[in-house]
């Protein structure tokens, strides 16, 4: 089992180390969803996602050992230029949680600046991009402090492991194109502990796939993902759902390998609606879709039926619609998007994203 605990990663107290590290990390959109977890951030079923490009977090980590004493975590956190104590507290907790992997976090004073490429009020979950950006910074910091060297793949695997401890879906953000997280016989080297890069195993049509994020509501979600995962524990459909997710993943991996868009779209849309059905059948039940989410789904399906074009949708844990289609049909679908879907968005807001290359050092 992968275990990154390393009590040796302590800075020699006679030397002062300071510096600055920065990473940009994107969000990702799950096709087979992670919904339900146990233990230390372990998924109840395997999931697969496409890595996004334009929706990202940039995190700049300044560190110094100068003047640091005691065993506590010292961190100032600025979000979009403003000091943010509630985010700071979450990150202090996270750093404390991983202090058996990176014991040096207790020897450092951190100042972290973070901003998102998308508006905070867009209703887009930022935990995947922000936690993966932070994990990348920490893994780079280990290399700078201790001269550790890693092959890129090993480095990303460790960063993925650490991202997972911050937010499950974040562990899939570090890789180009696509990532699988969760043990499955259908993906070699897959694990519950970290995501693996999966871009090489899918048809190249997906390497520049579009994901237009249609913002149905910019408000904060009434039920957090954390609470949603917890409600799966009492959900009567939980066990059959986990079995179904495994079967769907298996079929989706084949469809994605072959570039079979019809099969890809059918599974992806079923998954999105299953996720929301699980919310509706939780106790207490809740609904995150809004009237315009349903209206968009109707219009997308009608347009697809009329034109035969491979344009599909998915949703994450919120009302926004992610519109998925290959680049080759962009010119044909764009007028439909602008005239039929964008007017249903709150303040006409849409983030026109594509599949991207994962986390990059900046
Ligand atoms: C619906 O990763 O946000 O987007 O592990 O509690 O941070 P935590 O949950 P989170 O859950 C994401 C749920 C999802 C599906 C997915 O991304 O697979």
């Amino acid at each position: 089992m992968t275990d990154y605990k390393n009590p040796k990663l302590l800075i020699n107290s006679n030397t002062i180390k300071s510096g600055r590290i920065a990473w940009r990390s994107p969000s990702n959109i799950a096709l087979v969803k992670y919904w339900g977890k146990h233990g230390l951030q372990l998924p109840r079923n395997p999931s697969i996602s496409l890595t996004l490009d334009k929706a990202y977090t940039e995190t700049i980590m300044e560190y110094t050992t100068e003047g640091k004493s005691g065993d506590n975590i010292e961190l100032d956190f600025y979000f979009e230029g403003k000091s943010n104590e509630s985010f700071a507290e979450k990150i202090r907790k996270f750093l404390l949680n991983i202090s058996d992997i990176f014991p040096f976090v207790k020897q450092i004073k951190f100042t972290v600046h973070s901003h998102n490429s998308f508006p905070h009020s867009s209703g887009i979950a930022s935990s995947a991009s922000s936690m993966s950006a932070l994990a990348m910074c920490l893994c780079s910091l280990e290399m700078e402090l201790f001269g550790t060297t890693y092959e890129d793949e090993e480095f990303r695997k460790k960063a993925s492991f650490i991202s997972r401890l911050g937010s499950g879906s974040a562990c899939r953000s570090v890789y180009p194109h696509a990532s699988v997280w969760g043990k499955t016989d259908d993906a070699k080297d897959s694990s519950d502990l970290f995501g693996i890069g999966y871009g090489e195993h899918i048809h190249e049509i997906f390497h520049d796939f579009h994901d237009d994020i249609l913002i149905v509501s910019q408000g904060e979600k009434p039920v957090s993902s954390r609470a949603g995962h917890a409600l799966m524990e009492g959900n009567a459909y939980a066990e059959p759902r986990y079995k179904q997710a495994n079967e769907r993943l298996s079929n989706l991996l084949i469809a994605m390998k072959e570039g079979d868009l019809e099969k890809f779209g059918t599974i992806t849309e079923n998954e999105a609606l299953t996720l929301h059905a699980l919310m509706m059948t939780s106790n207490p039940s809740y609904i995150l879709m809004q009237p315009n989410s349903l209206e968009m789904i109707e219009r997308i399906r009608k347009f697809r039926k009329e034109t035969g074009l491979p344009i599909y949708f998915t949703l994450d844990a919120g009302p926004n619609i992610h519109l998925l289609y290959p680049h080759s049909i962009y010119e044909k679908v764009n007028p439909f998007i602008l005239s039929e879907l964008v007017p249903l968005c709150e303040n006409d807001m849409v983030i026109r994203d594509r599949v991207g290359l994962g986390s990059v050092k900046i």
Side-chain angles (χ1 to χ4, degrees):
M1 197 177 107
T2 309
D3 179 0
Y4 288 110
K5 282 182 197 157
N6 188 351
K8 289 197 192 118
L9 293 179
L10 280 168
I11 305 164
N12 177 339
S13 53
N14 301 325
T15 52
I16 289 180
K17 300 259 189 186
S18 20
R20 179 183 180 277
I21 289 164
W23 278 84
R24 171 188 301 166
S25 195
S27 186
N28 69 76
I29 181 68
L31 304 168
V32 171
K33 311 290 184 181
Y34 146 59
W35 200 241
K37 61 177 169 178
H38 65 105
L40 261 187
Q41 291 281 97
L42 300 168
R44 288 283 184 196
N45 64 264
S47 57
I48 180 169
S49 58
L50 293 173
T51 306
L52 298 182
D53 185 42
K54 290 208 175 70
Y56 59 76
T57 299
E58 281 181 351
T59 296
I60 301 151
M61 176 182 274
E62 290 160 7
Y63 63 92
T64 184
T65 52
E66 198 170 356
K68 173 74 175 81
S69 59
D71 227 14
N72 62 330
I73 304 285
E74 244 184 87
L75 170 126
D76 289 329
F77 185 82
Y78 296 84
F79 181 66
E80 322 234 282
K82 282 197 207 110
S83 170
N84 188 316
E85 192 41 40
S86 94
F87 283 169
E89 200 40 46
K90 276 186 197 147
I91 295 172
R92 285 185 206 117
K93 259 195 203 135
F94 168 67
L95 292 177
L96 195 62
N97 277 343
I98 60 161
S99 60
D100 48 358
I101 300 173
F102 289 149
F104 59 83
V105 295
K106 292 181 174 172
Q107 299 179 292
I108 285 176
K109 281 184 178 177
F110 291 100
T111 306
V112 176
H113 289 264
S114 192
H115 61 264
N116 294 339
S117 63
F118 45 91
H120 187 52
S121 62
S122 60
I124 297 184
S126 60
S127 66
S129 55
S130 60
M131 292 316 299
S132 55
L134 186 66
M136 289 311 254
C137 287
L138 289 165
C139 290
S140 282
L141 181 56
E142 178 201 331
M143 289 175 81
E144 296 213 357
L145 294 175
F146 303 98
T148 332
T149 51
Y150 290 103
E151 293 290 327
D152 186 63
E153 205 183 310
E154 270 304 302
F155 181 79
R156 282 179 199 266
K157 180 171 147 183
K158 184 164 183 176
S160 177
F161 181 101
I162 289 163
S163 303
R164 182 197 104 238
L165 296 171
S167 175
S169 57
C171 79
R172 298 184 312 236
S173 270
V174 307
Y175 298 104
H177 306 310
S179 176
V180 168
W181 169 39
K183 182 79 196 121
T184 162
D185 291 341
D186 297 303
K188 194 171 159 279
D189 299 330
S190 58
S191 167
D192 284 354
L193 302 175
F194 47 83
I196 57 167
Y198 206 74
E200 286 167 23
H201 307 291
I202 58 177
H203 194 280
E204 62 182 24
I205 199 168
F206 295 106
H207 287 184
D208 61 353
F209 227 62
H210 286 249
D211 178 0
D212 292 337
I213 311 170
L214 301 153
I215 309 297
V216 170
S217 166
Q218 305 180 359
E220 203 158 299
K221 293 183 288 189
V223 181
S224 69
S225 286
R226 182 180 295 260
H229 286 291
L231 287 173
M232 279 301 282
E233 292 310 302
N235 190 307
Y237 299 98
E239 284 314 317
R241 154 62 192 162
Y242 301 138
K243 187 165 172 277
Q244 172 194 60
N246 276 279
E247 286 160 9
R248 283 186 176 158
L249 183 82
S250 186
N251 291 328
L252 185 63
L253 294 187
I254 296 168
M256 290 182 80
K257 185 173 174 208
E258 292 171 350
D260 182 340
L261 290 184
E262 201 178 326
K263 202 160 141 198
F264 161 86
T266 305
I267 298 170
T268 297
E269 291 192 352
N270 283 344
E271 264 298 290
L273 297 176
T274 300
L275 170 70
H276 285 261
L278 290 166
M279 296 172 189
M280 293 181 211
T281 53
S282 290
N283 189 11
S285 152
Y286 62 107
I287 301 177
L288 296 184
M289 281 195 283
Q290 293 192 0
N292 277 355
S293 318
L294 293 174
E295 180 62 30
M296 285 186 195
I297 290 172
E298 292 294 335
R299 290 187 187 185
I300 294 162
R301 288 185 161 172
K302 184 164 172 272
F303 178 78
R304 184 167 72 227
K305 204 165 172 206
E306 284 167 5
T307 62
L309 294 168
I311 182 167
Y312 301 96
F313 68 84
T314 187
L315 297 105
D316 60 13
N320 300 330
I321 298 286
H322 288 246
L323 194 64
L324 301 168
Y325 54 92
H327 185 59
S328 58
I329 65 165
Y330 172 75
E331 298 292 341
K332 288 189 186 134
V333 298
N334 197 41
F336 160 71
I337 295 166
L338 295 178
S339 67
E340 299 272 326
L341 300 180
V342 173
L344 296 174
C345 295
E346 191 166 14
N347 300 324
D348 287 348
M349 192 171 161
V350 51
I351 297 171
R352 308 208 66 168
D353 214 338
R354 298 281 286 271
V355 167
L357 296 177
S359 317
V360 283
K361 199 163 189 229
I362 48 175

